[in-house]
């Protein structure tokens, strides 16, 4: 049997944002939300890049959720 993966939800993204801003390590954030630390790192890397609409970059939980929803719609 393969592993069952589930997407991060908005509440988990908010917690990632809060802990990341507090200077907590990715490993500790992962432990706090019950996810692997590489999932946290991937989330921060994927959704922190500057864009035309977000020139400063940085991680925002709501923006990350919006980008995820957009990616899902485009993929289907």
């Amino acid at each position: 049997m393969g592993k069952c993966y589930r997407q991060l939800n908005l509440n988990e993204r908010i917690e990632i944002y809060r802990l990341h801003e507090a200077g907590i390590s990715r490993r500790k954030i992962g432990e706090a939300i019950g996810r692997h630390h590489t999932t946290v790192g991937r989330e921060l890397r994927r959704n922190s890049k500057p864009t035309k609409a977000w020139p400063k970059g940085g991680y925002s939980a709501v923006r990350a959720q919006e980008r995820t929803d957009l990616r899902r719609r485009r993929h289907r």
Side-chain angles (χ1 to χ4, degrees):
M1 292 246 153
K3 292 185 178 185
C4 180
Y5 297 100
R6 58 186 176 91
Q7 301 290 323
L8 291 169
N9 60 44
L10 181 58
N11 290 331
E12 289 171 319
R13 287 187 167 96
I14 291 170
E15 191 67 8
I16 289 172
Y17 171 78
R18 191 180 68 75
L19 295 172
H20 180 66
E21 287 295 309
I24 307 298
S25 72
R26 292 174 181 172
R27 192 172 293 272
K28 294 287 185 190
I29 294 171
E31 290 174 10
I33 66 170
R35 297 295 189 119
H36 198 271
H37 65 92
T38 57
T39 300
V40 175
R42 191 179 312 116
E43 172 70 11
L44 290 170
R45 185 175 60 251
R46 180 181 291 144
N47 292 304
S48 295
K49 296 177 183 172
T51 63
K52 288 181 183 178
W54 192 264
K56 286 180 17 179
Y59 187 78
S60 165
V62 173
R63 180 175 171 269
Q65 185 67 45
E66 289 171 354
R67 289 180 51 135
T68 298
D69 294 340
L70 181 64
R71 286 186 198 112
R72 284 185 190 162
R73 280 194 304 266
R74 285 182 183 166
H75 183 68
R76 293 180 182 167

